Amino acid sequence: MDLSLSPEQDAFRKVVRVWVDDVVTPRALTNDREERFPQEALEGLKETGFLGLTIGEEYGGGGADPLSYVLLIEELGRGDANVRSIVSVHLGLVAGVIERMGTDEQKRRWLPVMATGEVLACFGLTEPDHGSDAGNLTGTAVRQDDGSYKINARKIFITNGTIAGVALVMARTGGAGSRGVSAFLVPTETPGFTANKIHGKLGLRSCDTAELVLDDVVVGPEALLGGVEGNGIRAALSALGDGRMSIAASCTGIMQACLDSMIEYTTQREQFGKKIAAHQLIQELLADTAVQLDAARLMTWRCADLKARGEDYALAASKAKLFATEASVVAANNCVQAYGGYGYIDEYPAGKYLRDARVTTLYEGTSQIQKLIIGRALTGVSAF
Ligand code: FAD
């Protein structure tokens, strides 16, 4: 089995790495402290074409393979998880679903403008009373006599919510449970659509997170994803396969950032007359982080490999997400520990790594939900 990158993938990673080190990382701490959206990085994501990396070339995107996408997300996660989240929602949660499940008209309308970044996308699944239990969501889309739909829904914690031009919104068109849910591509300038920014997050503080309110929003039949009712949860699950691979990649990047900064700090700081890296218990922190990092990266690359070969990677993505997210929290905690008191103030990055890692065990399916998915695959028995 060959785990090396192709020359193209290796060259691409080098380009991304340089860009992240030049544009993303230097502003990450200040943006976090000021809850400031990373606008310069977003402009750069458009100019470099990274924002359209996986969209098909026929729609003006980069047509990149899954491992290149994982490499991009890992590098962005290493630099700033806030910037990473813009891309993984836009590409992984929305563009991928439009490409797989949209009508030709939907692909022609949305993918070219998403590839350039002229239009950003957000993914509206979670409701205030339905998070893990998304299949029972209560937002409605009622079909009118003229074939249009009137949508009334409230969505919460939506990444890119106030800056998106299109929202993929899941709403109930009829019937109970997940089969009654449909997906709609809603232009955010439609009357009745409002996005309210959420402040005061523990981490991802410069990321755009919003509540969406859809109050009698009327969209034409062309907004119904794939032109078919009842496929909303299937669309969401398809999105979350990519999304979970992407979160695992981002956490790999966070862990790499933790390890890099731990090595830098512990080989400079001295206590008891020697570098703290010379103390065996500090080496334990470094070694544990390095081993977990390798495992997270390999599990994530396996998802990309399965996807590239056209195989089902949903279960592998759940496993990678579960492992990498939990491991990134431990790695970031190790990083704070290695910095001592300096890890507790926001002049150094360790605290930000911990706060940014912490959300990853919660969104796109909590760790508990990943365990239920894995348990169901092992036993054939569903605990949902
Ligand atoms: P709940 O579902 O209420 O869960 C609470 C606790 O109960 C958790 O520990 C959970 O694991 C546990 N639990 C629930 N059910 C079970 C069960 N059956 N067995 C065992 N334990 C269970 N959503 C979007 O749609 N789009 C986005 O772009 C988006 N971005 C987000 C960004 C941020 C910063 C955050 C914080 C959230 C975001 N979310 C987004 C929402 C996120 O996906 C949900 O928060 C997540 O799915 C959990 O739902 P919940 O918060 O309602 O928790």
Side-chain angles (χ1 to χ4, degrees), residues 4-16 50 53 62-65 67-69 71-72:
S4 56
L5 299 177
S6 70
E8 294 77 23
Q9 289 163 338
D10 192 42
F12 174 70
R13 180 165 68 174
K14 286 189 179 120
V15 168
V16 178
F50 295 158
L53 187 75
D65 63 286
L67 185 52
S68 296
Y69 175 62
L71 295 173
L72 171 70

PDB file of all heavy atoms in Angstrom, residues 4-16 50 53 62-65 67-69 71-72:
ATOM      1  N   SER A   4       2.199   7.505   0.059  1.00  0.00           N
ATOM      2  CA  SER A   4       2.849   8.779  -0.282  1.00  0.00           C
ATOM      3  C   SER A   4       1.934   9.632  -1.160  1.00  0.00           C
ATOM      4  O   SER A   4       1.042   9.124  -1.838  1.00  0.00           O
ATOM      5  CB  SER A   4       4.167   8.518  -1.006  1.00  0.00           C
ATOM      6  OG  SER A   4       3.915   7.726  -2.140  1.00  0.00           O
ATOM      7  N   LEU A   5       2.197  10.935  -1.132  1.00  0.00           N
ATOM      8  CA  LEU A   5       1.422  11.854  -1.972  1.00  0.00           C
ATOM      9  C   LEU A   5       1.960  11.811  -3.399  1.00  0.00           C
ATOM     10  O   LEU A   5       3.160  11.578  -3.602  1.00  0.00           O
ATOM     11  CB  LEU A   5       1.553  13.282  -1.432  1.00  0.00           C
ATOM     12  CG  LEU A   5       1.050  13.540  -0.009  1.00  0.00           C
ATOM     13  CD1 LEU A   5       1.311  14.990   0.392  1.00  0.00           C
ATOM     14  CD2 LEU A   5      -0.429  13.210   0.112  1.00  0.00           C
ATOM     15  N   SER A   6       1.091  12.058  -4.370  1.00  0.00           N
ATOM     16  CA  SER A   6       1.569  12.194  -5.750  1.00  0.00           C
ATOM     17  C   SER A   6       2.359  13.505  -5.834  1.00  0.00           C
ATOM     18  O   SER A   6       2.185  14.394  -4.980  1.00  0.00           O
ATOM     19  CB  SER A   6       0.384  12.238  -6.714  1.00  0.00           C
ATOM     20  OG  SER A   6      -0.311  13.462  -6.546  1.00  0.00           O
ATOM     21  N   PRO A   7       3.217  13.675  -6.864  1.00  0.00           N
ATOM     22  CA  PRO A   7       3.962  14.943  -6.991  1.00  0.00           C
ATOM     23  C   PRO A   7       3.020  16.148  -7.015  1.00  0.00           C
ATOM     24  O   PRO A   7       3.317  17.194  -6.433  1.00  0.00           O
ATOM     25  CB  PRO A   7       4.695  14.785  -8.330  1.00  0.00           C
ATOM     26  CG  PRO A   7       4.793  13.310  -8.550  1.00  0.00           C
ATOM     27  CD  PRO A   7       3.587  12.696  -7.901  1.00  0.00           C
ATOM     28  N   GLU A   8       1.847  15.992  -7.656  1.00  0.00           N
ATOM     29  CA  GLU A   8       0.887  17.119  -7.731  1.00  0.00           C
ATOM     30  C   GLU A   8       0.326  17.442  -6.341  1.00  0.00           C
ATOM     31  O   GLU A   8       0.205  18.608  -5.957  1.00  0.00           O
ATOM     32  CB  GLU A   8      -0.280  16.789  -8.671  1.00  0.00           C
ATOM     33  CG  GLU A   8       0.086  16.626 -10.130  1.00  0.00           C
ATOM     34  CD  GLU A   8       0.752  15.290 -10.424  1.00  0.00           C
ATOM     35  OE1 GLU A   8       0.557  14.323  -9.647  1.00  0.00           O
ATOM     36  OE2 GLU A   8       1.508  15.218 -11.419  1.00  0.00           O
ATOM     37  N   GLN A   9      -0.015  16.388  -5.601  1.00  0.00           N
ATOM     38  CA  GLN A   9      -0.570  16.612  -4.256  1.00  0.00           C
ATOM     39  C   GLN A   9       0.478  17.245  -3.344  1.00  0.00           C
ATOM     40  O   GLN A   9       0.179  18.149  -2.555  1.00  0.00           O
ATOM     41  CB  GLN A   9      -1.068  15.290  -3.664  1.00  0.00           C
ATOM     42  CG  GLN A   9      -2.339  14.773  -4.337  1.00  0.00           C
ATOM     43  CD  GLN A   9      -2.610  13.301  -4.051  1.00  0.00           C
ATOM     44  OE1 GLN A   9      -1.703  12.537  -3.703  1.00  0.00           O
ATOM     45  NE2 GLN A   9      -3.854  12.893  -4.217  1.00  0.00           N
ATOM     46  N   ASP A  10       1.712  16.753  -3.468  1.00  0.00           N
ATOM     47  CA  ASP A  10       2.799  17.284  -2.634  1.00  0.00           C
ATOM     48  C   ASP A  10       3.028  18.771  -2.959  1.00  0.00           C
ATOM     49  O   ASP A  10       3.160  19.612  -2.051  1.00  0.00           O
ATOM     50  CB  ASP A  10       4.071  16.466  -2.903  1.00  0.00           C
ATOM     51  CG  ASP A  10       5.138  16.775  -1.882  1.00  0.00           C
ATOM     52  OD1 ASP A  10       4.791  16.888  -0.680  1.00  0.00           O
ATOM     53  OD2 ASP A  10       6.309  16.930  -2.270  1.00  0.00           O
ATOM     54  N   ALA A  11       3.040  19.091  -4.261  1.00  0.00           N
ATOM     55  CA  ALA A  11       3.251  20.490  -4.675  1.00  0.00           C
ATOM     56  C   ALA A  11       2.089  21.358  -4.193  1.00  0.00           C
ATOM     57  O   ALA A  11       2.290  22.483  -3.711  1.00  0.00           O
ATOM     58  CB  ALA A  11       3.379  20.570  -6.190  1.00  0.00           C
ATOM     59  N   PHE A  12       0.886  20.823  -4.305  1.00  0.00           N
ATOM     60  CA  PHE A  12      -0.294  21.580  -3.860  1.00  0.00           C
ATOM     61  C   PHE A  12      -0.200  21.861  -2.368  1.00  0.00           C
ATOM     62  O   PHE A  12      -0.442  22.983  -1.916  1.00  0.00           O
ATOM     63  CB  PHE A  12      -1.569  20.781  -4.194  1.00  0.00           C
ATOM     64  CG  PHE A  12      -2.821  21.403  -3.644  1.00  0.00           C
ATOM     65  CD1 PHE A  12      -3.309  22.589  -4.174  1.00  0.00           C
ATOM     66  CD2 PHE A  12      -3.502  20.821  -2.588  1.00  0.00           C
ATOM     67  CE1 PHE A  12      -4.457  23.182  -3.653  1.00  0.00           C
ATOM     68  CE2 PHE A  12      -4.652  21.395  -2.061  1.00  0.00           C
ATOM     69  CZ  PHE A  12      -5.123  22.584  -2.601  1.00  0.00           C
ATOM     70  N   ARG A  13       0.159  20.842  -1.586  1.00  0.00           N
ATOM     71  CA  ARG A  13       0.256  21.057  -0.134  1.00  0.00           C
ATOM     72  C   ARG A  13       1.272  22.145   0.196  1.00  0.00           C
ATOM     73  O   ARG A  13       1.046  22.968   1.089  1.00  0.00           O
ATOM     74  CB  ARG A  13       0.623  19.747   0.581  1.00  0.00           C
ATOM     75  CG  ARG A  13       0.738  19.956   2.093  1.00  0.00           C
ATOM     76  CD  ARG A  13       0.734  18.686   2.877  1.00  0.00           C
ATOM     77  NE  ARG A  13       1.925  17.906   2.646  1.00  0.00           N
ATOM     78  CZ  ARG A  13       2.219  16.781   3.313  1.00  0.00           C
ATOM     79  NH1 ARG A  13       1.376  16.317   4.221  1.00  0.00           N
ATOM     80  NH2 ARG A  13       3.314  16.109   3.052  1.00  0.00           N
ATOM     81  N   LYS A  14       2.398  22.154  -0.554  1.00  0.00           N
ATOM     82  CA  LYS A  14       3.429  23.188  -0.295  1.00  0.00           C
ATOM     83  C   LYS A  14       2.868  24.578  -0.573  1.00  0.00           C
ATOM     84  O   LYS A  14       3.095  25.520   0.187  1.00  0.00           O
ATOM     85  CB  LYS A  14       4.658  22.930  -1.170  1.00  0.00           C
ATOM     86  CG  LYS A  14       5.479  21.756  -0.680  1.00  0.00           C
ATOM     87  CD  LYS A  14       6.801  21.654  -1.410  1.00  0.00           C
ATOM     88  CE  LYS A  14       7.594  20.463  -0.863  1.00  0.00           C
ATOM     89  NZ  LYS A  14       7.913  19.459  -1.853  1.00  0.00           N
ATOM     90  N   VAL A  15       2.117  24.704  -1.671  1.00  0.00           N
ATOM     91  CA  VAL A  15       1.533  26.015  -2.022  1.00  0.00           C
ATOM     92  C   VAL A  15       0.570  26.466  -0.923  1.00  0.00           C
ATOM     93  O   VAL A  15       0.615  27.618  -0.457  1.00  0.00           O
ATOM     94  CB  VAL A  15       0.794  25.927  -3.385  1.00  0.00           C
ATOM     95  CG1 VAL A  15      -0.053  27.168  -3.623  1.00  0.00           C
ATOM     96  CG2 VAL A  15       1.784  25.726  -4.513  1.00  0.00           C
ATOM     97  N   VAL A  16      -0.294  25.540  -0.484  1.00  0.00           N
ATOM     98  CA  VAL A  16      -1.275  25.898   0.553  1.00  0.00           C
ATOM     99  C   VAL A  16      -0.546  26.282   1.837  1.00  0.00           C
ATOM    100  O   VAL A  16      -0.890  27.272   2.498  1.00  0.00           O
ATOM    101  CB  VAL A  16      -2.244  24.732   0.830  1.00  0.00           C
ATOM    102  CG1 VAL A  16      -3.222  25.106   1.931  1.00  0.00           C
ATOM    103  CG2 VAL A  16      -3.005  24.336  -0.414  1.00  0.00           C
ATOM    104  N   PHE A  50      -9.019  28.266  -3.973  1.00  0.00           N
ATOM    105  CA  PHE A  50      -9.226  27.209  -2.967  1.00  0.00           C
ATOM    106  C   PHE A  50     -10.717  27.051  -2.641  1.00  0.00           C
ATOM    107  O   PHE A  50     -11.161  25.968  -2.294  1.00  0.00           O
ATOM    108  CB  PHE A  50      -8.470  27.517  -1.664  1.00  0.00           C
ATOM    109  CG  PHE A  50      -6.970  27.535  -1.810  1.00  0.00           C
ATOM    110  CD1 PHE A  50      -6.175  28.229  -0.892  1.00  0.00           C
ATOM    111  CD2 PHE A  50      -6.342  26.859  -2.850  1.00  0.00           C
ATOM    112  CE1 PHE A  50      -4.785  28.251  -1.019  1.00  0.00           C
ATOM    113  CE2 PHE A  50      -4.953  26.875  -2.989  1.00  0.00           C
ATOM    114  CZ  PHE A  50      -4.190  27.579  -2.071  1.00  0.00           C
ATOM    115  N   LEU A  53     -12.156  24.489  -4.911  1.00  0.00           N
ATOM    116  CA  LEU A  53     -11.199  23.402  -5.191  1.00  0.00           C
ATOM    117  C   LEU A  53     -11.837  22.117  -5.709  1.00  0.00           C
ATOM    118  O   LEU A  53     -11.349  21.520  -6.677  1.00  0.00           O
ATOM    119  CB  LEU A  53     -10.392  23.096  -3.921  1.00  0.00           C
ATOM    120  CG  LEU A  53      -9.254  22.090  -4.139  1.00  0.00           C
ATOM    121  CD1 LEU A  53      -8.097  22.737  -4.874  1.00  0.00           C
ATOM    122  CD2 LEU A  53      -8.782  21.505  -2.807  1.00  0.00           C
ATOM    123  N   GLY A  62     -11.937  23.603  -9.379  1.00  0.00           N
ATOM    124  CA  GLY A  62     -10.627  22.982  -9.543  1.00  0.00           C
ATOM    125  C   GLY A  62     -10.691  21.498  -9.856  1.00  0.00           C
ATOM    126  O   GLY A  62      -9.690  20.904 -10.276  1.00  0.00           O
ATOM    127  N   GLY A  63     -11.840  20.872  -9.629  1.00  0.00           N
ATOM    128  CA  GLY A  63     -11.997  19.439  -9.926  1.00  0.00           C
ATOM    129  C   GLY A  63     -11.007  18.566  -9.165  1.00  0.00           C
ATOM    130  O   GLY A  63     -10.608  17.503  -9.644  1.00  0.00           O
ATOM    131  N   ALA A  64     -10.598  19.004  -7.968  1.00  0.00           N
ATOM    132  CA  ALA A  64      -9.526  18.301  -7.251  1.00  0.00           C
ATOM    133  C   ALA A  64     -10.013  16.985  -6.651  1.00  0.00           C
ATOM    134  O   ALA A  64     -11.203  16.797  -6.390  1.00  0.00           O
ATOM    135  CB  ALA A  64      -8.978  19.190  -6.142  1.00  0.00           C
ATOM    136  N   ASP A  65      -9.061  16.094  -6.406  1.00  0.00           N
ATOM    137  CA  ASP A  65      -9.357  14.786  -5.814  1.00  0.00           C
ATOM    138  C   ASP A  65      -9.571  14.933  -4.306  1.00  0.00           C
ATOM    139  O   ASP A  65      -9.165  15.939  -3.698  1.00  0.00           O
ATOM    140  CB  ASP A  65      -8.194  13.824  -6.093  1.00  0.00           C
ATOM    141  CG  ASP A  65      -6.928  14.313  -5.443  1.00  0.00           C
ATOM    142  OD1 ASP A  65      -6.337  15.301  -5.949  1.00  0.00           O
ATOM    143  OD2 ASP A  65      -6.521  13.770  -4.414  1.00  0.00           O
ATOM    144  N   LEU A  67      -8.178  13.626  -1.669  1.00  0.00           N
ATOM    145  CA  LEU A  67      -7.024  13.800  -0.775  1.00  0.00           C
ATOM    146  C   LEU A  67      -6.496  15.240  -0.850  1.00  0.00           C
ATOM    147  O   LEU A  67      -6.080  15.804   0.172  1.00  0.00           O
ATOM    148  CB  LEU A  67      -5.914  12.785  -1.102  1.00  0.00           C
ATOM    149  CG  LEU A  67      -4.724  12.805  -0.147  1.00  0.00           C
ATOM    150  CD1 LEU A  67      -5.149  12.686   1.323  1.00  0.00           C
ATOM    151  CD2 LEU A  67      -3.730  11.692  -0.485  1.00  0.00           C
ATOM    152  N   SER A  68      -6.550  15.850  -2.022  1.00  0.00           N
ATOM    153  CA  SER A  68      -6.118  17.260  -2.117  1.00  0.00           C
ATOM    154  C   SER A  68      -7.012  18.134  -1.252  1.00  0.00           C
ATOM    155  O   SER A  68      -6.545  19.077  -0.601  1.00  0.00           O
ATOM    156  CB  SER A  68      -6.155  17.738  -3.575  1.00  0.00           C
ATOM    157  OG  SER A  68      -5.226  17.015  -4.330  1.00  0.00           O
ATOM    158  N   TYR A  69      -8.308  17.821  -1.252  1.00  0.00           N
ATOM    159  CA  TYR A  69      -9.241  18.572  -0.395  1.00  0.00           C
ATOM    160  C   TYR A  69      -8.861  18.395   1.079  1.00  0.00           C
ATOM    161  O   TYR A  69      -8.791  19.369   1.848  1.00  0.00           O
ATOM    162  CB  TYR A  69     -10.667  18.069  -0.663  1.00  0.00           C
ATOM    163  CG  TYR A  69     -11.719  18.673   0.243  1.00  0.00           C
ATOM    164  CD1 TYR A  69     -11.969  20.036   0.248  1.00  0.00           C
ATOM    165  CD2 TYR A  69     -12.472  17.862   1.098  1.00  0.00           C
ATOM    166  CE1 TYR A  69     -12.938  20.588   1.077  1.00  0.00           C
ATOM    167  CE2 TYR A  69     -13.446  18.404   1.930  1.00  0.00           C
ATOM    168  CZ  TYR A  69     -13.665  19.769   1.916  1.00  0.00           C
ATOM    169  OH  TYR A  69     -14.622  20.311   2.743  1.00  0.00           O
ATOM    170  N   LEU A  71      -5.959  17.703   2.250  1.00  0.00           N
ATOM    171  CA  LEU A  71      -4.703  18.431   2.508  1.00  0.00           C
ATOM    172  C   LEU A  71      -4.977  19.926   2.709  1.00  0.00           C
ATOM    173  O   LEU A  71      -4.404  20.565   3.601  1.00  0.00           O
ATOM    174  CB  LEU A  71      -3.726  18.231   1.343  1.00  0.00           C
ATOM    175  CG  LEU A  71      -3.239  16.798   1.134  1.00  0.00           C
ATOM    176  CD1 LEU A  71      -2.417  16.702  -0.159  1.00  0.00           C
ATOM    177  CD2 LEU A  71      -2.412  16.298   2.316  1.00  0.00           C
ATOM    178  N   LEU A  72      -5.870  20.471   1.879  1.00  0.00           N
ATOM    179  CA  LEU A  72      -6.235  21.888   2.041  1.00  0.00           C
ATOM    180  C   LEU A  72      -6.836  22.131   3.421  1.00  0.00           C
ATOM    181  O   LEU A  72      -6.438  23.064   4.142  1.00  0.00           O
ATOM    182  CB  LEU A  72      -7.250  22.296   0.958  1.00  0.00           C
ATOM    183  CG  LEU A  72      -7.885  23.683   1.126  1.00  0.00           C
ATOM    184  CD1 LEU A  72      -6.862  24.790   0.880  1.00  0.00           C
ATOM    185  CD2 LEU A  72      -9.082  23.871   0.181  1.00  0.00           C
TER     186      LEU A  72
END
